[in-house]
Amino acid sequence: MAIRPAEQLIHKAAWLYYAHGLRQDQVASQLNISRASVAMYLRKARETGIVNISTSTQLFTDDVLARKLEDALGLDAVWIAPENDHIADPSTEIAVLAASVFLELVKKGDRIGVAWGRTVYMIADIMSYADLQDVTVVQLCGNLGAPYSYRPDQCTMEIARRLNAKGLNFYAPLVLSTEELARALRAEPVIREQLSGVGECDLALYSVGAVDADSHLVKCGALTSGEMAGLRQQGAAGVIAGQIIDAEGKVLDCSYNRRVISAELASLRAIARRLMVVQEDSKFEPLLAAIAGGLCTHLVVGARMAQRLLDHAAAPTEKAS
């Protein structure tokens, strides 16, 4: 069973203290909590069986993998959803965990940036209702004319509704017909102000999209399958908030990106907590690109994806001769 988000600090304190050998004051400094809290968390870890004199192998397996992945990728926190062969749709378990994690991360007064996609909307649809004060949910990219319930505006407003928060939508399309038109629209005061304010968000919630024929950008008509194939040849590796990124997590230099109305990646990186949720095992390469680009600080994935990421991080890099 995956750890509950509320117990994340207990597990992290135990991992740093017992696995890394840090002193309690060092653990406190790294987690930005008091030394007294560290002592309390370590006691709870022992009392609940998270840590014992031998090992809590079955109870702690996914958490050990999560801590190793945090270390290997330099992430603030990783949550791993358990994978059960008896579950018809394992991706639902990831969305359930992600919804719980997201609610744990949201604080009163937060400004939250939300992208779009099936994963984000599933999280919103599963999420429990909360009545938080002074929370604002901001749409990170322009809108699509796709016949989906998980359009950018729908994702933003559903999450705002669940949090009893204020929702701010972009009243602009995701992609324009010409680069000149996109530049002009981005210069409009209302759009410019909303885009410039993205970096002031406290938390972001998004997934990473694929760059194949099943990409949302292709299905919604923003790109043809042939155009997407051409972009892959140019180095396209994933999609973040409607923008195409390369394997290093940088914006791909292409006409499509110059026609997009979306928050700049620098603004996304300025957000302190960037929660990325990936359900599909097929999104391994896009996820690697997003992590390489510093677009993720907190991650929710399934066990297979987590192990694959760890194996990749541990693999020796090939050096040019």
Side-chain angles (χ1 to χ4, degrees):
M1 178 180 294
I3 61 171
R4 293 189 294 271
E7 296 178 346
Q8 179 76 12
L9 277 177
I10 299 175
H11 286 252
K12 291 202 74 169
W15 176 254
L16 292 172
Y17 185 77
Y18 290 104
H20 282 272
L22 270 62
R23 301 189 309 270
Q24 290 191 19
D25 61 323
Q26 293 174 318
V27 174
S29 177
Q30 184 154 335
L31 298 181
N32 195 27
I33 57 178
S34 69
R35 184 169 178 173
S37 294
V38 172
M40 178 186 67
Y41 290 150
L42 294 178
R43 185 179 68 252
K44 286 185 177 180
R46 293 189 297 269
E47 291 173 349
T48 57
I50 292 171
V51 173
N52 58 45
I53 197 64
S54 53
T55 56
S56 304
T57 306
Q58 291 183 327
L59 292 174
F60 205 45
T61 298
D62 282 347
D63 189 54
V64 169
L65 179 56
R67 301 292 79 75
K68 287 182 177 179
L69 200 53
E70 289 167 1
D71 292 343
L73 301 179
L75 301 178
D76 290 346
V78 172
W79 292 266
I80 300 174
E83 294 179 352
N84 189 332
D85 293 336
H86 300 293
I87 298 174
D89 184 5
S91 66
T92 301
E93 293 297 302
I94 297 175
V96 169
L97 175 60
S100 181
V101 167
F102 176 73
L103 287 176
E104 289 284 339
L105 291 176
V106 177
K107 309 299 180 186
K108 292 181 179 179
D110 271 357
R111 186 178 179 91
I112 305 167
V114 174
W116 65 292
R118 185 178 70 91
T119 298
V120 174
Y121 192 80
M122 184 179 291
I123 292 168
D125 193 47
I126 291 172
M127 189 186 304
S128 300
Y129 288 88
D131 189 8
L132 300 178
Q133 297 177 4
D134 302 321
V135 171
T136 303
V137 183
V138 179
Q139 186 175 324
L140 292 177
C141 60
N143 219 356
L144 290 159
Y148 299 143
S149 60
Y150 45 87
R151 297 191 317 264
D153 59 327
Q154 292 289 89
C155 292
T156 301
M157 296 314 294
E158 183 60 25
I159 289 177
R161 190 173 74 88
R162 298 283 172 142
L163 299 178
N164 195 25
K166 178 182 179 181
L168 293 179
N169 285 134
F170 258 128
Y171 294 103
L174 173 64
V175 58
L176 279 296
S177 57
T178 68
E179 296 178 24
E180 293 76 14
L181 186 57
R183 281 196 297 269
L185 189 54
R186 283 194 291 268
E188 284 294 317
V190 173
I191 302 299
R192 186 176 66 244
E193 180 180 356
Q194 190 161 348
L195 288 173
S196 64
V198 167
E200 299 174 2
C201 288
D202 304 285
L203 171 65
L205 171 64
Y206 45 41
S207 186
V208 59
V211 286
D212 53 27
D214 290 328
S215 170
H216 292 328
L217 294 181
V218 174
K219 290 183 175 180
C220 75
L223 289 167
T224 67
S225 58
E227 289 170 334
M228 183 62 87
L231 290 171
R232 285 200 306 276
Q233 292 180 350
Q234 295 179 42
V239 182
I240 296 287
Q243 299 175 85
I244 295 176
I245 60 174
D246 63 16
E248 296 180 349
K250 299 176 181 178
V251 175
L252 189 70
D253 184 12
C254 62
S255 176
Y256 167 82
N257 276 337
R258 291 190 288 271
R259 293 185 288 116
V260 163
I261 305 296
S262 181
E264 294 183 357
L265 296 191
S267 295
L268 297 180
R269 294 188 190 99
I271 300 173
R273 289 165 287 151
R274 305 180 290 281
L275 175 60
M276 180 160 289
V277 183
V278 176
Q279 294 176 296
E280 301 92 337
D281 289 338
S282 60
K283 289 186 176 180
F284 178 67
E285 298 294 340
L287 178 54
L288 285 179
I291 293 171
L295 295 164
C296 169
T297 60
H298 296 65
L299 177 66
V300 178
V301 291
R304 282 192 300 271
M305 178 68 86
Q307 187 61 58
R308 193 174 176 189
L309 288 169
L310 189 60
D311 291 344
H312 180 272
T317 56
E318 295 184 3
K319 296 182 179 180
S321 56

